[in-house]
Amino acid sequence: MIRDYNLRKRVMVTGGAGFLGSHLIDRLLERGDEVLCVDNFFTGAKDNIQHQLANPHFEVIRHDINNPLFVEVDEIYNLACPASPIHYQHDPVQTTKTSVHGSINMLGLAKRVGAKIFQASTSEVYGDPDVHPQTEDYWGNVNPIGPRSCYDEGKRCAETLFFDYHRQHRLRIKVARIFNTYGPRMHPADGRVVSNFIMQALRNEPITLYGDGLQTRSFCYVDDLVSGFIALMDSADEVTGPINLGNPGEFTIRELAEKVVTLTDSKSELVFKPLPQDDPKQRRPDIGRAQSQLGWQPSVPLEEGLKRTIDYFRTFA
């Protein structure tokens, strides 16, 4: 429970130096919370939180959540886990451990101190879906032994743990299933489609598409997603999720590439390579639950979000 003698809420963000975590921290500090950033800096970057280091209500701990952590907090946002295929496949065993052992440690902390806890789950729990768009009631079509399984199945197991802690220990939980998100502070070499296309276009290099480029994705700008995080965390205790957070606007990968080329005034040409194993053909969220239970929906159009993201990436090109 929040202490009566401190008006500021104490919020911990694991993975706080990452792309999503750093934007979330900015928003929490802006609204007046005390924020503890926990990160082992495997994929997170100090540059993402540098501008907050002088803030007296901000603190950073270098820590891997695979090890227990003993702190006093009111809320926990558990965002710690590599999220791009290049990073989570670098050490797949560690990726699974972060989702499973890390979740157990954070759930144990939440149980000890009575904190409310948020899990950053993923649309990858749906795998290569047979249902389109994906609703939260869909159980997914996931390969349990493929190269993406460390992330997909790790996140599925984390959801299991969260709901078992909720049922067994009455823990207050919030589970968000995050769809493709983009924006400033993405790692320029994280291997995800938006960052790949923008960097290749800015350098006038060939833009790499896999398969025929007709597979679809939905892209949510980071500011919209963070608003969804906070709306879910602040919702009534009975709203546990899982709740899809993403933009239901659907584009083919080829359409995205062509839009990036136009916005960057690039001379890049499109090149096609074989589709990686287990790469989903369609990915689009049904956000009806987020709209009805949180009053949330994204508002930043893809073109506007891409312009902001391109401006950020120009410094790396």
Side-chain angles (χ1 to χ4, degrees), residues 172-190:
R172 294 176 296 156
I173 66 166
K174 306 288 181 177
V175 176
R177 290 178 177 165
I178 303 167
F179 283 69
N180 288 61
T181 307
Y182 69 100
R185 300 183 201 159
M186 292 183 79
H187 195 292
D190 71 359

Side-chain angles (χ1 to χ4, degrees), residues 25 35 92 195 199 207 229 246 276 280:
I25 284 171
V35 180
S195 52
M199 291 303 295
I207 291 184
F229 284 4

Side-chain angles (χ1 to χ4, degrees), residues 61-77:
I61 295 177
R62 181 186 287 269
H63 181 83
D64 188 326
I65 64 166
N66 284 304
N67 300 307
L69 181 63
F70 300 93
V71 292
E72 295 291 330
V73 292
D74 302 308
E75 293 180 351
I76 300 168
Y77 286 86

Side-chain angles (χ1 to χ4, degrees), residues 247-299:
N247 194 321
E250 188 175 9
F251 298 86
T252 68
I253 298 300
R254 180 162 190 155
E255 286 176 316
L256 175 69
E258 290 169 347
K259 193 173 286 287
V260 167
V261 168
T262 298
L263 292 174
T264 55
D265 194 24
S266 175
K267 298 179 177 61
S268 296
E269 296 181 352
L270 307 186
V271 297
F272 296 85
K273 294 188 176 182
L275 195 66
Q277 182 181 344
D278 300 329
D279 191 62
K281 293 179 289 293
Q282 291 180 307
R283 188 62 63 72
R284 175 185 160 204
D286 181 312
I287 62 168
R289 190 178 290 186
Q291 290 171 314
S292 62
Q293 296 186 4
L294 307 179
W296 176 88
Q297 63 182 22
S299 62

Side-chain angles (χ1 to χ4, degrees), residues 19 83-86 180-181 186-187 189-197:
F19 164 46
S84 74
I86 285 178
N180 288 61
T181 307
M186 292 183 79
H187 195 292
D190 71 359
R192 284 186 275 196
V193 64
V194 173
S195 52
N196 273 2
F197 286 0

Side-chain angles (χ1 to χ4, degrees), residues 137-173:
D137 295 329
Y138 176 54
W139 290 354
N141 177 37
V142 177
N143 178 358
I145 58 171
R148 300 170 69 105
S149 304
C150 57
Y151 186 70
D152 301 4
E153 294 287 38
K155 289 289 191 177
R156 286 164 68 95
C157 185
E159 287 196 14
T160 300
L161 287 163
F162 268 70
F163 279 91
D164 282 339
Y165 265 80
H166 172 65
R167 285 184 287 259
Q168 187 171 340
H169 302 296
R170 300 177 184 270
L171 204 62
R172 294 176 296 156
I173 66 166

